[in-house]
Amino acid sequence: MDEKKRTPAAKARDTATVVPLPRKPGAALTITDVAEFAGVSKKTVSRVINREPMKAATRAKVEAAIETLGFVPNAQARALAFRKNFVIVLFIHDSTSPMAMKFQRGVLSAIGDSELALAVRPVDRESPDLLADIETFLGRQKPMGAIFLPPLSERDDIGEMCQRLNIKYVRVGSAQLDMMSRSVWSNDREAVMGVVRDIVALGHRRIGFVRGPQGFLSAREREAGFRQALQAAGIAPDEALFADGLYSFESGVTAGHALLDSPQPPSVIFASNDSMAAGVVRAAHEKGLRLPRDLSIVGFDDGPVALQLWPSLTTVHWPVAEMGVLAVHKLVPETLPAGEDPATLPSMVVSSLIRRESLGEPPR
């Protein structure tokens, strides 16, 4: 081809330098410019931008052109093409809970500097219009995907609704709630069983337990693990050593007093979350008990309060932030680090005991 007839983009491609492309002052780069620079069609550039399957060599050529030219795809145009916004919606019941805040940090770290954005949508799980409200929001916003935290995630009809609306979703819980591609969960039951084994190994036999609220899968799973571990250790569950809680500090104080005022109080109390464990610590201090000399206390979460208490709280580390990262990767596999295969993504995260000062041997 006559050198004079070759386009500036073609010259730039061949010399690996950026040659200014002719355009009006202030005009933005377009996919036409990228296509000329890379020596491919506009359709091929569009397929790369939209992350459609293609030969690796072609993708690398186009991505190199995009980087060299400094081309920024128009997110609004892409959203129109996809008929979706580049937003992940997180549906939660309680936006102030430590679990929700830790999960959000995981989601944001997975999104990183991508074009994705996070929208947090608090909803009332007890509202009779819950499903209709969620459906209306999804229909208007057309997000890239939706994540549901417990206890909302424990409703099967929410997953069925998302499938009907053709919305990608992930349900997060304390046990598997859906297909592996649509579910991220933690091993709450097994984690509690392991903690009880450690407590028994220290010599404790009178082990108190503060339940979570009725209707929460996490509460059921944690109590089931507690009972199974007692039975495996040959300890008959004593119903006098069980107290009801609501995952709140105040309910932990009430439960702590109920257990410690019994004729034969426990030597250790396992609370189903850290907020209630903090309440039990308060009740123990009010009774003049010293931890862990007179009483041991264990929680579940490993939230900030665990280190703010005195003595510091032995608790189950619940990797909620990791669950947030996993949920994003399942919704948008393109957020995975280069070279990682979406097919190998795990669905379950493993919780583990963090030993601190509040757990010791039983009083002698």
Side-chain angles (χ1 to χ4, degrees):
M1 179 184 291
D2 189 335
E3 182 67 19
K4 294 181 180 180
K5 296 181 179 180
R6 299 177 69 235
T7 66
K11 295 177 182 178
R13 182 184 69 245
D14 292 345
T15 60
T17 60
V18 178
V19 176
L21 302 177
R23 63 175 58 81
K24 295 179 181 180
L29 285 164
T30 68
I31 63 171
T32 300
D33 300 322
V34 177
E36 287 188 12
F37 188 93
V40 299
S41 67
K42 290 191 294 183
K43 184 177 180 180
T44 298
V45 176
S46 179
R47 290 178 61 198
V48 171
I49 293 172
N50 293 334
R51 301 188 179 96
E52 297 177 18
M54 64 170 52
K55 292 182 179 179
T58 302
R59 179 181 298 280
K61 182 192 298 185
V62 174
E63 289 177 344
I66 289 173
E67 182 177 357
T68 301
L69 294 175
F71 175 67
V72 179
N74 188 312
Q76 290 182 332
R78 291 194 62 207
L80 288 173
F82 273 113
R83 297 179 183 268
K84 294 182 184 296
N85 290 315
F86 291 93
V87 172
I88 293 174
V89 181
L90 177 63
F91 286 95
I92 58 179
H93 171 65
D94 181 4
S95 60
T96 64
S97 74
M99 187 269 189
M101 290 187 281
K102 287 173 66 177
F103 192 90
Q104 288 177 54
R105 288 199 293 271
V107 170
L108 292 172
S109 69
I111 290 174
D113 58 358
S114 73
E115 61 196 337
L116 293 170
L118 172 65
V120 180
R121 182 70 172 179
V123 293
D124 181 3
R125 74 182 186 99
E126 297 178 352
S127 169
D129 300 320
L130 173 64
L131 278 180
D133 291 344
I134 293 176
E135 181 168 353
T136 298
F137 185 85
L138 291 174
R140 289 175 178 170
Q141 300 302 320
K142 294 181 173 56
M144 180 65 72
I147 303 173
F148 296 90
L149 291 188
L152 302 171
S153 58
E154 295 162 13
R155 294 183 52 154
D156 291 334
D157 52 3
I158 285 180
E160 293 164 359
M161 178 192 65
C162 288
Q163 293 177 53
R164 175 167 50 80
L165 297 175
N166 196 29
I167 298 286
K168 291 187 69 175
Y169 69 92
V170 171
R171 296 163 64 191
V172 179
S174 294
Q176 184 172 0
L177 298 169
D178 210 311
M179 297 172 56
M180 291 184 67
S181 60
R182 299 169 174 162
S183 186
V184 173
W185 68 92
S186 54
N187 64 331
D188 288 23
R189 184 181 300 212
E190 292 78 11
V192 170
M193 292 177 68
V195 174
V196 174
R197 283 194 295 267
D198 286 356
I199 289 173
V200 171
L202 288 173
H204 292 278
R205 292 298 179 269
R206 293 192 60 75
I207 306 172
F209 185 76
V210 183
R211 301 182 180 94
Q214 291 186 356
F216 282 56
L217 176 64
S218 58
R220 295 197 300 272
E221 286 293 303
R222 293 169 193 179
E223 182 172 355
F226 182 81
R227 290 181 179 274
Q228 289 179 13
L230 287 184
Q231 292 170 351
I235 301 173
D238 183 349
E239 298 305 319
L241 296 179
F242 287 78
D244 295 330
L246 297 172
Y247 281 166
S248 66
F249 173 81
E250 294 78 11
S251 68
V253 175
T254 301
H257 277 298
L259 292 171
L260 296 174
D261 288 341
S262 62
Q264 291 183 294
S267 61
V268 57
I269 297 176
F270 190 162
S272 293
N273 80 343
D274 284 355
S275 293
M276 294 192 301
V280 176
V281 170
R282 169 68 176 269
H285 287 320
E286 288 177 348
K287 294 187 71 67
L289 300 177
R290 285 180 288 181
L291 310 182
R293 193 193 73 171
D294 303 319
L295 174 72
S296 290
I297 299 175
V298 179
F300 194 114
D301 277 341
D302 195 25
V305 71
L307 290 174
Q308 294 165 357
L309 291 171
W310 179 82
S312 58
L313 183 66
T314 293
T315 184
V316 176
H317 174 68
W318 196 18
V320 174
E322 181 181 340
M323 295 169 78
V325 172
L326 268 179
V328 172
H329 290 339
K330 285 177 178 286
L331 282 180
V332 189
E334 292 81 8
T335 57
L336 278 167
E340 288 196 22
D341 184 358
T344 64
L345 272 178
S347 294
M348 185 185 75
V349 298
V350 178
S351 302
S352 56
L353 180 67
I354 305 297
R355 290 288 297 269
R356 297 196 179 100
E357 299 169 323
S358 69
L359 175 63
E361 296 179 351
R364 300 193 180 279

